[in-house]
Amino acid sequence: VQLQASGGGLVQPGGSLRLSCAASGFTLDYYSIGWFRQAPGKEREGVSCISSSDGTTYTAESGLGRFTVSRDNAKNTVYLQMNSLKPEDTAVYYCATVRCWPLDRDPVVPSRDGYWGQGTQVTVSS
């Protein structure tokens, strides 16, 4: 039972990447999935999430208008499409099972005893 994040890499400012979070050993349909990132010396940030119930999504202000989260239940995968990337987006990105409550003060909260992907490095640099 695991989540596997992939799709990171080195991209120039203004470029795009699509991160994937694939589940194995369990069905992703029943879980809300979130994306977090952590840059060196910075706190972990909840970037985006998508709920299991109705597909409601949330994107943090740092990614609004640039990041889009989606899910393909047939492929047991959640995606984070990142466009117009900036150097400040450089971080290790993780996916995890979460509580996704877009209207809450803390919209993206890791599930207790949930699952985490291993992280994928995103580097935005010229």
Side-chain angles (χ1 to χ4, degrees):
V1 176
Q2 64 177 354
L3 290 173
Q4 180 142 7
S6 62
L10 173 64
V11 63
Q12 292 187 341
S16 298
L17 285 172
R18 188 177 78 160
L19 305 184
S20 298
C21 178
S24 59
F26 68 102
T27 302
L28 214 51
D29 306 28
Y30 304 123
Y31 293 86
S32 297
I33 300 296
W35 287 96
F36 298 86
R37 68 184 182 185
Q38 189 160 23
K42 294 190 176 180
E43 291 189 0
R44 186 180 69 196
E45 176 187 8
V47 174
S48 190
C49 65
I50 184 165
S51 72
S52 60
S53 55
D54 59 3
T56 300
T57 63
Y58 163 82
T59 301
E61 187 174 345
S62 58
L64 274 179
R66 303 185 300 124
F67 294 1
T68 304
V69 62
S70 63
R71 65 195 306 153
D72 185 338
N73 289 337
K75 294 185 177 179
N76 222 24
T77 301
V78 168
Y79 302 100
L80 183 67
Q81 178 68 43
M82 304 189 295
N83 299 326
S84 302
L85 283 162
K86 305 174 182 179
E88 50 263 45
D89 295 319
T90 295
V92 178
Y93 285 71
Y94 301 87
C95 60
T97 53
V98 299
R99 183 201 77 192
C100 182
W101 290 359
L103 299 181
D104 194 78
R105 184 182 66 174
D106 200 358
V108 192
V109 176
S111 301
R112 187 164 48 184
D113 300 328
Y115 306 119
W116 283 85
Q118 83 285 8
T120 184
Q121 176 70 47
V122 171
T123 303
V124 185
S125 174
S126 54

